[in-house]
Amino acid sequence: MSGHVGDLSPSQERALAQACGTGLSPAAVGYRGALPTRVSPRSALSSRRTCRISWPSCPAPTTTSCSAGSEHMKFRKQQDLDNILTWQPSEVVRLYEPSGFCGHDREGSPVWYHIIRGLDLKGLLLSVSKQELLRFNFWSLELLLRDCEQQSQKLGKKVEKISTVFDFEGLSLRHLWKPGVELVQEFFSALEANYPEILKNLIVVKAPKLFPVAFNLIKPYITEETRRKVLILGGNWKQELLKFISPNQLPVEFGGTMTDPDGNPKCLTKINYGGDVPQHYYLRNHVRVQYDHQATVGRGSSLQVDNEILFPGCVLRWQLASDGGDIGFGVFLKTKMGERQRAAEMTEVLASQRYNAHMVPEDGSLTCTEAGVYVLRFDNTYSLIHPKHISYTV
């Protein structure tokens, strides 16, 4: 048994049905999407693989004995991955995030291209939030997974992994800008935790002398298994690439025969080559918000702002900016009234994340499902040197 929907042992089918919240087996209700449940089969299977333990010994992902699977389901909910394919990135991301899906490898897996020379990390991070750039990559992964499903049906075999091609021509010190590196590190951490088996290989072409420095910055955030999938091709990389991808599935730019309908060898309709982000996209240049409150969050400390919600269905909205560096932010619901509680003692409503609010002002909202005291928590516990000055409106 492969451990995938349609090829499960009886115990795996029972476990999957339990994870999906129904007593019916996947075979009884059809492959993918037919389960009348709160969790899709692919999501449930993904959480199982995230556990990295054998199926029979892994109970439903909501139990404490499978915390990795539970964290994965929490990640899917936080990123709204079940609905992410209806999301559209902002214009600057669509135009200047240098990547794209183009063709399939010789085994039928989709190929995801990344063009480093066109990557203006600083320009992107001055134009949109770090969270949107991460979401763009999760959106891309879900699109690729959907293509895998379509390929499985077309080819009559399981296609569940993707190939990636990284063109490192033009890598320079500007790509090693600290906030940009931290963004890439966070993405790979999320990739390893939530898509642990999706990568078939990471093919690197045109790697310059600076490549080992860049790779060493990312290396601690990927597993040894993923590191073994990194293939660095030499001077004859175009010929080597053809071992993995057929000529008619490979753009002329990369040594194949594929072109756009107008004959463009770069396949610009499929791969975005990016470029420098024009400054008129920089949010700091034209976002002027008058905030109601200012405060300083000391080094190694946090600040809590209480907001009482009297009725379920109310919308809690916030705007914030910081000076002195990024700031952690999350929303919690108090479990005891009239006293200060630690984050771990409260119910987490919006997971705490570090926001580059010193570069791009943040705003957000949530619909409160129950009455109570909602705590906006500004977190600077990770910074033992620098205090953060924040401005906010709730």
Side-chain angles (χ1 to χ4, degrees), residues 113-359:
Y113 290 82
H114 297 267
I115 313 299
I116 302 304
R117 66 179 175 274
L119 179 58
D120 180 8
L121 277 169
K122 188 171 186 178
L124 286 169
L125 283 169
L126 287 171
S127 303
V128 297
S129 69
K130 176 182 69 174
Q131 280 67 28
E132 177 169 348
L133 291 175
L134 288 169
R135 185 167 175 79
F136 174 80
N137 282 282
F138 301 143
W139 174 72
S140 299
L141 285 168
E142 292 295 321
L143 285 172
L144 290 159
L145 284 173
R146 184 177 68 177
D147 184 79
C148 285
E149 293 178 355
Q150 294 169 350
Q151 284 291 99
S152 295
Q153 295 176 3
K154 177 181 177 181
L155 301 176
K157 65 177 184 179
K158 299 297 182 185
V159 178
E160 298 176 308
K161 296 180 183 293
I162 67 172
S163 290
T164 56
V165 176
F166 287 83
D167 181 352
F168 268 91
E169 182 180 27
L171 177 69
S172 66
L173 290 176
R174 78 169 189 156
H175 294 107
L176 305 185
W177 182 55
K178 187 174 183 290
V181 171
E182 290 173 346
L183 168 70
V184 178
Q185 291 171 337
E186 187 169 339
F187 168 70
F188 273 103
S189 293
L191 180 75
E192 292 287 7
N194 298 284
Y195 300 90
E197 298 181 15
I198 192 174
L199 295 179
K200 180 186 294 183
N201 49 47
L202 293 89
I203 303 172
V204 175
V205 302
K206 294 184 276 188
K209 293 181 179 179
L210 193 59
F211 173 75
V213 177
F215 184 67
N216 282 335
L217 292 172
I218 306 302
K219 196 174 179 180
Y221 297 86
I222 59 178
T223 64
E224 184 60 38
E225 182 180 354
T226 300
R227 293 174 201 169
R228 289 195 294 267
K229 297 177 182 178
V230 177
L231 306 172
I232 304 174
L233 306 187
N236 63 338
W237 61 268
K238 287 188 176 181
Q239 291 73 30
E240 290 292 312
L241 206 50
L242 290 171
K243 295 179 181 179
F244 302 93
I245 307 170
S246 299
N248 66 343
Q249 293 291 308
L250 186 65
V252 172
E253 176 79 2
F254 289 87
T257 60
M258 180 188 283
T259 65
D260 271 339
D262 64 359
N264 192 301
K266 291 188 174 182
C267 293
L268 295 178
T269 60
K270 299 178 182 295
I271 303 174
N272 185 358
Y273 286 76
D276 292 341
V277 176
Q279 291 192 13
H280 69 261
Y281 283 109
Y282 291 6
L283 290 180
R284 284 284 188 178
N285 290 348
H286 53 79
V287 173
R288 295 290 184 268
V289 179
Q290 295 296 322
Y291 297 99
D292 293 340
H293 308 280
Q294 288 80 38
T296 297
V297 186
R299 58 186 183 181
S301 64
S302 64
L303 172 69
Q304 295 187 4
V305 177
D306 291 359
N307 295 270
E308 186 174 6
I309 300 298
L310 299 177
F311 306 101
C314 291
V315 176
L316 182 63
R317 184 173 182 180
W318 58 87
Q319 295 174 303
L320 67 97
S322 64
D323 288 315
D326 63 358
I327 187 73
F329 177 79
V331 181
F332 299 82
L333 178 63
K334 279 192 171 183
T335 56
K336 294 182 180 179
M337 300 299 105
E339 62 181 77
R340 178 184 171 90
Q341 291 183 280
R342 297 178 180 272
E345 299 170 336
M346 296 184 286
T347 301
E348 184 181 73
V349 179
L350 178 70
S352 185
Q353 300 182 61
R354 290 171 62 174
Y355 291 85
N356 287 332
H358 60 305
M359 299 167 60

Side-chain angles (χ1 to χ4, degrees), residues 27-48:
V29 292
Y31 173 70
R32 273 293 293 148
L35 284 171
T37 63
R38 61 182 182 272
V39 182
S40 70
R42 190 179 75 195
S43 301
L45 281 169
S46 182
S47 70
R48 295 283 176 179

Side-chain angles (χ1 to χ4, degrees), residues 95-106:
L95 294 177
Y96 293 99
E97 213 287 343
S99 62
F101 151 49
C102 183
H104 299 88
D105 66 17
R106 290 184 179 272

